[in-house]
Amino acid sequence: MKTALNIFVFLISVGVGYAQDIKSDCLKINQKYNTSKKVSMKMEYNLYSNHTVTVPFQKEKGEMKRNNELMSYKIGPMETVRTDRFELVIDNDEQFIAMMEHKTKLFSWDEKMYVGTLDKILPYCESTSYTEEKDNQGCYDIKMKAGEYSRSKLYFDKKTFFITKLILFYRKETILNEDGVGKKEKPRLEIIYKDIQENPEFAANEFSETKYVAKSGNTFKCLEKYKDYTLRVDLFENVVKKGK
């Protein structure tokens, strides 16, 4: 169920009710993410075996940063970085680094970071309710007619319109254990967004491949920190000699 622990999973799940308020608020959330060209935030992912249990089956921490078209995203052992030329995937468990040219569009803020298109989601919304939460948060409880999730709860800051928490209730029963042993249940995923900063200061090489690899001629090699990692550059259109 590792694929569930992905920051972008919420984009297809945020429903839009028939009340004008939720339409208006979701449009404001869209606009906020669209105009936030320089931002950073941390995330917590808690995956539960069913809709009511309080002890997570799996927990991960993540972090996301953006500086205009340059971006980085971390969740657990996985990192994705978009530099001014490349997109890199770093797997710290499997110990490999993959480098690809931009045309792969593995990581696109425009395509991935906005709340779902309203007119496409509207027909799938069965009902919505709104509550005022503490710390200046609003919450929409959204029930869906169809799709991967039967329900979602969207929490957002009423002043900034950044999303602060998302709870996704899976519609289908599944076994979370990778060995397939256990009871089939409907999971729940909670994503918490915190330490949200607009216009943060980034290090000069924050969004650079030079944090991970060095180039000499046509050869890339992993830096000393990643000396035991396998470097894959064979996904380029024009194959570049691999280094390790």
Side-chain angles (χ1 to χ4, degrees):
M1 196 83 182
K2 290 182 180 179
T3 55
L5 295 179
N6 191 310
I7 181 62
F8 306 128
V9 74
F10 78 81
L11 303 175
I12 60 172
S13 68
V14 178
V16 180
Y18 296 95
Q20 184 62 44
D21 286 348
I22 190 170
K23 289 183 181 179
S24 175
D25 285 338
C26 283
L27 284 170
K28 290 176 182 177
I29 292 171
N30 274 334
Q31 184 178 22
K32 185 62 180 181
Y33 283 89
N34 183 39
T35 58
S36 297
K37 300 296 186 181
K38 192 174 183 180
V39 64
S40 68
M41 64 185 73
K42 294 181 180 178
M43 295 88 70
E44 292 181 0
Y45 303 84
N46 297 311
L47 179 64
Y48 298 85
S49 59
N50 60 47
H51 290 185
T52 58
V53 69
T54 57
V55 179
F57 170 84
Q58 183 180 355
K59 299 178 69 174
E60 296 286 1
K61 290 187 177 182
E63 186 174 13
M64 184 161 46
K65 300 176 182 179
R66 180 190 187 189
N67 188 4
N68 291 296
E69 298 306 311
L70 309 180
M71 293 161 273
S72 68
Y73 166 66
K74 298 179 182 179
I75 174 173
M78 298 296 297
E79 301 178 46
T80 305
V81 181
R82 181 181 177 91
T83 75
D84 57 358
R85 179 183 171 189
F86 303 111
E87 293 188 6
L88 291 82
V89 176
I90 301 95
D91 188 325
N92 294 295
D93 274 352
E94 299 297 326
Q95 293 193 317
F96 77 79
I97 298 174
M99 294 177 64
M100 293 153 280
E101 292 180 315
H102 274 175
K103 72 172 190 174
T104 57
K105 292 187 178 179
L106 185 66
F107 191 128
S108 172
W109 185 274
D110 288 341
E111 295 175 357
K112 303 294 187 181
M113 274 307 300
Y114 305 154
V115 178
T117 306
L118 303 183
D119 57 349
K120 292 182 179 179
I121 295 175
L122 183 58
Y124 299 100
C125 179
E126 182 177 318
S127 65
T128 66
S129 61
Y130 177 80
T131 56
E132 296 280 344
E133 303 291 323
K134 62 180 182 179
D135 299 327
N136 198 49
Q137 291 189 95
C139 174
Y140 284 106
D141 192 336
I142 306 155
K143 293 184 180 180
M144 309 297 290
K145 296 177 183 178
E148 187 174 3
Y149 311 106
S150 60
R151 179 186 173 201
S152 62
K153 296 184 72 174
L154 172 68
Y155 296 79
F156 64 99
D157 188 304
K158 293 188 296 180
K159 288 185 177 179
T160 67
F161 286 94
F162 275 116
I163 296 170
T164 56
K165 186 177 182 180
L166 187 76
I167 306 178
L168 304 174
F169 300 84
Y170 285 80
R171 188 183 304 276
K172 185 179 178 180
E173 292 184 343
T174 187
I175 297 175
L176 295 181
N177 286 315
E178 292 184 354
D179 57 11
V181 176
K183 180 182 177 181
K184 271 193 171 185
E185 297 183 274
K186 297 178 181 179
R188 178 178 93 254
L189 176 63
E190 297 190 3
I191 308 173
I192 300 169
Y193 307 87
K194 60 183 184 179
D195 296 336
I196 301 172
Q197 298 183 45
E198 291 190 85
N199 299 312
E201 292 295 326
F202 294 123
N205 68 338
E206 182 67 43
F207 306 96
S208 173
E209 66 274 10
T210 59
K211 286 180 64 176
Y212 309 93
V213 300
K215 185 179 181 182
S216 177
N218 288 328
T219 301
F220 287 91
K221 292 186 177 181
C222 292
L223 297 183
E224 180 67 20
K225 179 181 178 180
Y226 301 98
K227 64 180 181 180
D228 295 325
Y229 284 48
T230 297
L231 177 61
R232 293 190 60 192
V233 294
D234 53 307
L235 299 179
F236 290 175
E237 180 181 18
N238 297 315
V239 177
V240 182
K241 184 178 179 182
K242 289 190 291 182
K244 184 175 179 179

